[in-house]
Structures are given as structure tokens and as C-alpha cells.
Amino acid sequence: MKYIEVKIYTTQEGLDPLTCILMDMGIAGFAIEDARDFTELMEKKNCYDWDYIDEKLMDMQNMRTSVTFYLEDSDEGQRILKELQNLVIVNRKTSTDFEDNNLIENELVWKIVDDSDWKDNWKEYFKPAKITDNIVIKPSWEAYDANDGELVIEIDPGMAFGTGTHPTTFLCIRLLEKYIEPDRDTVLDVGCGSGILSIAAALLGAGEILAVDIDPVAVEVSEENAKRNGVSEKVRSIYGDLTKGLNEKADIVVANLMADLVVMLTADVAAHLKGKSIYISSGILIEKKQMVAAAIEEKGFQILDILEEGEWCAIAAQFRN
Ligand code: SAH
């Protein structure tokens, strides 16, 4: 379906009057971009100690204040667009102001967009990827001829995290490949996202896998992907917060979260391991490697392996018992 994407640039003081006008015209859904949001975000970062801030978010500090919304590309949509264009011209400040401030206050730009563009754009960047000598990850919509002995994981991540091509994910898969004992091990996947690690574990021969996520969409997507790979009998996907309320024990716990969550989870992981089992954690920035490894050792684990890729690392540890 086609829409008219309309963006009106304004000043911070102009935001309230502009959004009131839009609401009076029946436009209720809009996205506001305001450099003040960046300041608020940075204040939150200091409270929560986030590990990673996307570059696009850093760009927010230089952005012009604007309101963006969508109109149907119909006669009615075109009529509203004309009305708004007139309004903006009437409200625009004089050219002298423009030169003084280097800011066009109340400028309107628009373009026609197709919703299928934004739903599927990212698919162009997800291609089959060989992540170990024997494991290939491929998007469900791409063809791939497997070589002898290759395991192919087919994923459609939908709205869940986990195409498998992010270093935090493929480092986990490399460690699963190294530590899973086929036909013997059971696995607990904490923060399963698209279900990719559970599926990898199943294809590598693990017996039973419990996939847990705090995001209900991820639980659904994980179930669908398990079906897609013919392993739904082995993989059970459930909604849950870390391991709270879970009684299940596994030979391997795998968690691709982020450093602070890994540390929180570590306190509880031993209770979910069978004897001298393996704990694989990832989503850890290299600068937090020592801190996380120390927290894992402190809870009675011996560090076996630390794999690194770019700015990320993953840790495999064994419970000393
Ligand atoms: N395992 C996948 C996805 C990792 S992204 C992969 O390796 O690619 C991290 C996932 O953890 C997200 O799906 C997020 O919803 C989930 N998550 C975050 N906090 C969680 C918590 N407290 N309990 C369970 N899952 C959590």
C-alpha cells in the first residue's frame, strides 16, 4: 500500500502548536524528533549503564526538530497535504530570520512510500553465512546448496533478534558446536530471540532444549523457526524472565544477553545446571570481559574459553561443583 510520508521541520517551541494543529486535522499518529530526546536518553544511560548505543542514536544530538506522519495516498490524503503546505508557507518566518539562524522554521517535505519497502528492506542484507567449518545460516527466503556434512540453519527472524550473523550469536554457536555432546546433552537457551541458538543446539545433536524469552514475539518466532528446521519436537519455547520460576536443569546453559544481564543470570545458573556442566554467555563487550569473567568465576565456575570477534566476546565456563 502507498502512503505519503510528510515531515514538517519546526522549532522546539513550535512543536506543541504544530502537533495541536495536526490533531485538530485528525492526524493522531506522528513521530517527533527532538534533540532534547538525546539529552534525556543520555541521562537514562547513566541510570541503566547500557553497553551499547547505536550510531544512529548518537546522530540524534545534531538533528533538527521535526514531526513525521503518514497520510494515505488518496484524494483525501492529497487534500490534507495541500492544506498543510499552505499552513507551513503562512507560518514560515521571513528570509532574514533564515539567514540569521541558519534554520528554516516550518519547512514541509514529503514523499510517496510503499509499506512493503520498510517491512522488507533489511532482508537484502541477510544472506547465507558460513559461521563454522560445518554450520551455515541461511534466511528462509534464500536458496542454498549444502555441501556434504554441512548443517544448515534456516531462519526468518521476523521481529525477533537473531539472524545468526551478529558476532554475539555466532560466537555462541561456535561454543555450542565445541561443547555439545550429541545424544546426551540438554540445553537451556536464555533469551532465545529468533530461536537460533536452540535450533543450532538441536541440529548439533542436543536431546532436549528449553528456549526462554521475555518477549512474547520472540517466543512465537522461536517456535516457528524450530518448526521450519524440523526440530520442534526437541525445542520448547516459553515466555519467561531469565530463569525465574524455572525448575528445569540442563547440561548446557547458553545466554546471549548483555554483560550486566549475564552477571545477574550467573548467580542463578548453577541451580539450573546438571553437575559439572557448561555455561556459555555472550553479548559481552570486550571492555567488560574481565568483569564478567570474574563474576562467573566468583560463582564457582572455571573459565574454559573466551572467543572474541570485533568488539564482542563470548565466554564458556564449567561449574566446579
Ligand atoms: N539468542 C538469540 C537472541 C539474543 S538477543 C541470539 O543469540 O541471536 C537477546 C534476547 O534476550 C532478546 O530476544 C531479548 O528479548 C531477550 N531477553 C532480554 N532480557 C531478558 C530476560 N530478562 N529474560 C529472558 N530473555 C531476555
Side-chain angles (χ1 to χ4, degrees), residues 126-278:
F126 181 20
K127 297 284 177 204
K130 197 169 170 73
I131 53 164
T132 75
D133 283 347
N134 297 316
I135 301 180
V136 171
I137 296 180
K138 90 168 191 67
S140 54
W141 54 92
E142 290 265 341
Y144 180 79
D145 282 333
N147 296 319
D148 276 354
E150 248 175 12
L151 288 182
V152 181
I153 304 175
E154 189 171 306
I155 287 288
D156 186 341
M159 299 300 283
F161 182 94
T163 58
T165 50
H166 194 274
T168 59
T169 310
F170 67 67
L171 292 178
C172 283
I173 297 180
R174 284 181 194 159
L175 290 169
L176 284 171
E177 187 180 39
K178 180 164 178 187
Y179 289 104
I180 283 182
E181 285 193 28
D183 303 324
R184 204 210 76 171
D185 283 348
T186 54
V187 175
L188 174 59
D189 175 7
V190 185
C192 63
S194 65
I196 182 146
L197 299 180
S198 294
I199 293 160
L203 295 175
L204 286 164
E208 276 174 34
I209 299 115
L210 182 61
V212 182
D213 206 291
I214 203 172
D215 173 4
V217 174
V219 177
E220 257 174 55
V221 173
S222 169
E223 260 168 23
E224 278 160 24
N225 279 317
K227 255 188 231 147
R228 198 187 302 282
N229 287 275
V231 294
S232 49
E233 293 202 343
K234 284 186 174 184
V235 178
R236 188 157 61 95
S237 308
I238 62 166
Y239 172 82
D241 184 357
L242 297 178
T243 49
K244 277 180 213 154
L246 286 184
N247 297 319
E248 279 83 349
K249 287 187 188 246
D251 299 295
I252 297 186
V253 172
V254 63
N256 179 13
L257 299 162
M258 61 177 194
D260 292 350
L261 276 176
V262 166
V263 170
M264 270 168 68
L265 176 69
T266 300
D268 196 36
V269 151
H272 294 276
L273 284 173
K274 292 182 185 164
K276 288 199 173 193
S277 324
I278 305 287

Side-chain angles (χ1 to χ4, degrees), residues 259 262-263 266 279 281 284-306 313-318 320:
V262 166
V263 170
T266 300
Y279 174 31
S281 53
I284 304 157
L285 283 172
I286 293 209
E287 67 225 40
K288 300 220 170 174
K289 177 172 76 176
Q290 306 301 351
M291 182 274 285
V292 177
I296 292 176
E297 281 179 325
E298 205 224 340
K299 296 291 173 203
F301 291 87
Q302 181 190 356
I303 306 293
L304 300 177
D305 256 319
I306 302 187
C313 71
I315 302 176
Q318 181 163 37
R320 287 174 199 271

